[in-house]
Amino acid sequence: MLELLHRWRMGDGTGISIANSLIAPIADAFAHSMLPITAVLGALGFLGGASLARFQERLRRNSVKQDSRVGDIEGLRSLISQGEGERLEFKSSLRWDWRRRSVNKALEGVIAKTISGLMNQSGGVLLIGVDDGGSILGIENDLRSLRRKDLDGFEQRLMVLVTTHLGGDHTGAAHVIFVSDRGKTVALVYVDAVADPVFCKDGDVRRYYLRAGNTTTELDASEALAHIERKRDAS
């Protein structure tokens, strides 16, 4: 390409063609006498591309770590210090029962209930791996209980719960960030408020939950209808 550009700028139009200026040099590069040089240049190109890809991946990871919604231990501690409220809830685990010292899948329903309550109110943050007193317990026992025993597996399981209990159209309203402190990892689930009513499936029953104060409350049919109407009028 450089040769073609040079000849064009010099006004030499003789022999300027794709075949002569582009395809022929490429073919010559694979001639027997040129193979060592081609191999060296190919290896340098591969190493350069791999280094660039690695650099871009580091930038991507750093951008996630520097998420303005927290992403570091100082931000997590600041959240915990606020205590539970209408937009902040603590849960000890996703599915690990600390009292029984075993998996209790019923706790997953509690997580889904809490997320739906936040969606129906003003949104907020659910900290998983923090007890009611604000002590960091971590989600390591949850991780060991999952089929995929890593943070991606935890996030996948959480999204499955949202899909199963709240509906797949609400998965985009929940976002997870993980923060580690002294070997203990906390999942910070950022929940967006949703304009439409979000019902939480409990077996064959669909229930309507609302975050009120520092608790998640189930509303009866008339209360749910009244709240839904108020939300529609406000929007």
Side-chain angles (χ1 to χ4, degrees):
M1 290 298 292
L2 288 173
E3 179 183 355
L4 181 63
L5 179 62
H6 174 70
R7 294 174 66 179
W8 176 78
R9 293 187 64 185
M10 294 297 294
D12 181 8
T14 60
I16 297 180
S17 68
I18 295 178
N20 291 335
S21 303
L22 195 60
I23 298 177
I26 293 175
D28 292 341
F30 289 94
H32 185 270
S33 60
M34 293 293 293
L35 282 179
I37 296 177
T38 301
V40 171
L41 293 177
L44 291 175
F46 174 80
L47 291 175
S51 299
L52 179 60
R54 187 174 181 181
F55 176 71
Q56 290 177 328
E57 178 64 14
R58 285 183 177 178
L59 288 179
R60 186 189 68 80
R61 291 181 179 178
N62 288 337
S63 66
V64 172
K65 291 179 181 179
Q66 296 170 2
D67 194 296
S68 61
R69 296 178 300 181
V70 176
D72 55 34
I73 188 59
E74 289 78 13
L76 173 61
R77 289 172 178 165
S78 176
L79 271 178
I80 294 175
S81 68
Q82 297 174 26
E84 292 182 300
E86 188 172 286
R87 292 177 51 84
L88 181 61
E89 169 78 348
F90 302 161
K91 290 297 180 187
S92 299
S93 66
L94 177 71
R95 64 199 313 224
W96 178 259
D97 193 320
W98 284 93
R99 294 181 181 177
R100 300 180 184 177
R101 297 286 174 177
S102 62
V103 172
N104 181 0
K105 291 187 177 180
L107 297 177
E108 294 182 331
V110 177
I111 295 293
K113 177 184 75 173
T114 302
I115 293 175
S116 69
L118 290 169
M119 287 182 177
N120 284 325
Q121 188 62 290
S122 306
V125 187
L126 168 62
L127 303 184
I128 304 178
V130 178
D131 67 14
D132 291 339
S135 298
I136 296 177
L137 302 179
I139 59 172
E140 279 64 34
N141 287 327
D142 285 322
L143 295 178
R144 284 188 283 269
S145 73
L146 298 173
R147 180 175 300 176
R148 182 173 177 180
K149 306 178 188 301
D150 56 19
L151 298 182
D152 285 339
F154 185 98
E155 184 171 0
Q156 289 174 4
R157 182 59 189 169
L158 187 65
M159 291 301 105
V160 167
L161 292 179
V162 173
T163 300
T164 303
H165 291 274
L166 312 183
D169 54 330
H170 294 121
T171 55
H175 319 275
V176 187
I177 291 176
F178 298 99
V179 178
S180 295
D181 180 34
R182 301 174 186 176
K184 296 180 180 180
T185 304
V186 175
L188 298 87
V189 185
Y190 288 85
V191 181
D192 299 332
V194 176
D196 296 330
V198 179
F199 292 92
C200 185
K201 187 176 180 181
D202 181 11
D204 295 329
V205 180
R206 294 186 179 274
R207 304 182 185 278
Y208 191 83
Y209 294 100
L210 186 67
R211 187 72 181 170
N214 60 355
T215 60
T216 301
T217 305
E218 181 183 0
L219 304 187
D220 62 28
S222 60
E223 292 172 334
L225 287 172
H227 184 262
I228 293 169
E229 287 298 325
R230 287 197 298 271
K231 286 184 67 174
R232 288 175 178 170
D233 292 340
S235 60

